[in-house]
Amino acid sequence: MYQRSSVDELVTSLRKELDRYSPGEKLPPSRELVGRYRVSPVTVSRALAVLAAEGLVVTRPGAGAFRARPRAVSPRSGDTSWQEIALSAEASPDQVPRGADASGVLATLTVPPPGVIELSGGYLPASLRPERALAAALARAGRRPGAWDRPPLEGVDALRAWFARQIGGPDGAVTAAEVLITAGGQSALTTALRALAPPGAPVLVESPTYPGILAAARASGLRPVPVPVDGEGVRPHLLAEAFRASGARAFVCQPLFQNPTGTVLSADRRRETVRVARAAGAFVVEDDFARHLAHEDAGPLPPTLRADDPDGTVVHVCSLTKIASPNLRVGALAARGPVLERLRAIQVVDSFFVPRPLQEAALELVGTPAWDRHLRTVAGELRRRRETMLAALARELPALAPPRAPRGGYHLWLRLPDGTDETALASAALRAGVSVASGRPYFAAESAAPHLRLSFAPAAGEAEIDEGVRRLRAACEEVLR
């Protein structure tokens, strides 16, 4: 039994037993609980800590655990209606109202109910995460000299150097001095948007695009302006037209295995995208979220846009979170020129710094042979999962099978029949026991057609992907009939 499951089960059992004890009465000693429930002393200790955090027990070192005395709770019912004005009033009618619509992000972050197969998330399942290597790295990191001291505000030097090599390639196109360590990719995107555009300004985004980009832009008071993508990525002539029409000074894109389409920006368009932005006096924010998620049949990957940009047009964002663990929130921003100091200042004001033990753990992880083995394992597994989902779609829902499959990332982008109610279909799928992501949150403006995004990463295995698509067929039969 997994340690986490043992702790949860013991907590549930002890909660039920607490009614047998009077407030202040001592619970059985840990040794007795170990024997009664056949668990380890560590499991007992963790379960009691959970109950203590819930206010149900009190632990006293050397004395044991006691049932907590009930606390008198008298919630005050205040008047919060004033907040409607405070959150909505704008100093200028020209400003874009700030708001945080996290619905599109929550659809991929929320853990589905028990029994529901997850084809909506954006993280690897526990079976594909390097959890043993992470645990060992964290333990070693905590023993490093100075591990609990304040880190440099820009990040630990060795970790900045590692990211610089990843971003710039073997030619050293990026130096450690041009890298800032961030608390994951989403934090880096938010920092970049705030640095490059003032409140009320337009910012160009791919259409469709990752909902987290749209949410971060709108929460910063920015106005996302969509630029359509096709099978080769963003269309440069439309990008140039959008810069002229909007006056925007930033374009956010995902050139490699774009979310949600899986598109890779073609070689000609890579050069043209940076050239168009440079001519407009604008920045390109390169969200390189999927470089470590290439499948084993992906072939050689193109370098980052930042590696081919000596003029500082590209601000690069990347992270270890997707490939390692949702909890390893360590990423990087890479930029050149005066913008780097602005990025640094905003990050310092927002979060001071990324905790040093987490940075040291990331260094320990990527510096071991287990890291390369993990990358190879994930590359092979993602390919198998992709092929499993494609075969299941061809068998169960052939009309929805995508015309091409990305060789990186963790999702498929499905075009639905015209007039399909995406929300109704996603709800029907949940009732059928599978979670999927509707396409609407991926568009900054009106979408040309309804879509679904299916993720093959979070499922427990290939059998679960097969069953998830079968359940989706049942939902489609209900909604599309």
Side-chain angles (χ1 to χ4, degrees):
M1 183 181 298
Y2 290 108
Q3 180 72 37
R4 187 179 305 163
S5 301
S6 300
V7 172
D8 292 342
E9 291 175 6
L10 182 56
V11 166
T12 300
S13 298
L14 291 178
R15 278 201 200 100
K16 295 176 181 177
E17 284 198 17
L18 282 177
D19 288 339
R20 302 179 186 176
Y21 300 89
S22 302
E25 186 178 352
K26 186 176 181 180
L27 274 63
S30 295
R31 184 168 52 254
E32 181 178 330
L33 295 177
V34 167
R36 183 190 306 176
Y37 292 101
R38 298 184 179 181
V39 294
S40 70
V42 172
T43 298
V44 170
S45 176
R46 290 183 178 178
L48 291 174
V50 171
L51 294 173
E54 294 176 353
L56 298 178
V57 303
V58 175
T59 57
R60 298 171 188 160
F66 303 79
R67 181 178 176 183
R69 299 184 184 279
R71 289 177 288 183
V73 179
S74 54
R76 298 176 58 190
S77 179
D79 180 7
T80 60
S81 58
W82 64 272
Q83 293 185 6
E84 294 185 38
I85 299 174
L87 294 173
S88 303
E90 296 295 329
S92 166
D94 296 329
Q95 290 184 351
V96 176
R98 294 192 183 211
D101 179 6
S103 57
V105 179
L106 288 174
T108 59
L109 288 180
T110 303
V111 178
V116 174
I117 295 174
E118 184 180 6
L119 299 185
S120 57
Y123 294 113
L124 299 176
S127 61
L128 281 182
R129 296 195 294 260
E131 293 194 348
R132 291 181 62 183
L134 277 167
L138 192 60
R140 291 194 302 271
R143 296 192 297 268
R144 281 190 171 198
W148 297 94
D149 293 340
R150 281 179 297 176
L153 296 181
E154 299 84 358
V156 171
D157 291 343
L159 186 58
R160 296 170 73 196
W162 183 84
F163 272 113
R165 292 191 296 272
Q166 298 294 304
I167 298 166
D171 296 334
V174 175
T175 68
E178 296 170 331
V179 173
L180 302 174
I181 301 302
T182 68
Q186 185 68 22
S187 173
L189 282 171
T190 301
T191 297
L193 287 169
R194 291 182 57 200
L196 302 179
V203 58
L204 305 187
V205 297
E206 294 171 309
S207 183
T209 191
Y210 164 53
I213 292 172
L214 301 177
R218 288 168 176 150
S220 300
L222 306 179
R223 177 165 51 88
V225 177
V227 184
V229 301
D230 61 18
E232 295 184 57
V234 71
R235 299 156 71 180
H237 72 284
L238 293 180
L239 180 64
E241 185 177 321
F243 274 126
R244 285 193 298 270
S246 67
R249 290 294 176 265
F251 168 53
V252 188
C253 64
Q254 296 175 324
L256 188 63
F257 309 128
Q258 195 251 8
N259 183 5
T261 65
T263 300
V264 176
L265 190 61
S266 66
D268 290 343
R269 292 191 185 184
R270 286 165 52 85
R271 292 186 292 270
E272 189 65 4
T273 294
V274 176
R275 187 199 66 77
V276 166
R278 181 71 184 87
F283 290 92
V284 173
V285 180
E286 178 186 20
D287 180 11
D288 197 32
F289 79 101
R291 187 160 294 271
H292 290 306
L293 298 173
H295 305 171
E296 66 180 358
D297 58 349
L301 301 182
T304 65
L305 297 183
R306 176 63 188 81
D308 293 330
D309 168 47
D311 300 325
T313 302
V314 178
V315 173
H316 183 94
V317 171
C318 60
S319 169
L320 290 173
T321 305
K322 292 288 188 189
I323 185 60
S325 166
N327 292 298
L328 189 66
R329 304 209 64 78
V330 175
L333 273 168
R336 174 172 293 171
V339 71
L340 184 62
E341 181 55 34
R342 182 179 292 188
L343 291 165
R344 175 183 179 274
I346 290 176
Q347 177 168 299
V348 168
V349 168
D350 281 351
S351 58
F352 290 1
F353 49 77
V354 177
R356 184 160 194 157
L358 204 56
Q359 295 190 55
E360 298 285 3
L363 259 179
E364 288 281 353
L365 177 67
V366 300
T368 63
W371 177 246
D372 287 334
R373 289 197 299 271
H374 170 62
L375 295 181
R376 290 193 297 270
T377 297
V378 171
E381 183 64 21
L382 287 179
R383 178 188 181 181
R384 286 187 288 274
R385 287 165 174 253
R386 179 197 74 202
E387 293 303 309
T388 297
M389 181 171 279
L390 287 170
L393 286 169
R395 182 177 62 252
E396 305 286 353
L397 293 165
L400 301 187
R404 58 181 177 277
R407 298 194 176 188
Y410 49 83
H411 53 267
L412 300 179
W413 185 237
L414 309 186
R415 168 72 153 82
L416 299 174
D418 290 340
T420 301
D421 186 332
E422 297 173 358
T423 303
L425 181 54
S427 297
L430 200 57
R431 291 194 299 272
V434 59
S435 66
V436 299
S438 62
R440 183 66 192 86
Y442 292 81
F443 291 89
E446 294 79 7
S447 59
H451 291 82
L452 279 186
R453 196 196 74 158
L454 294 188
S455 175
F456 45 79
E462 294 176 50
E464 197 167 85
I465 293 173
D466 270 328
E467 176 61 17
V469 174
R470 190 193 66 77
R471 295 180 185 183
L472 178 60
R473 184 191 67 187
C476 288
E477 289 173 349
E478 174 187 334
V479 175
L480 302 180
R481 60 190 174 192

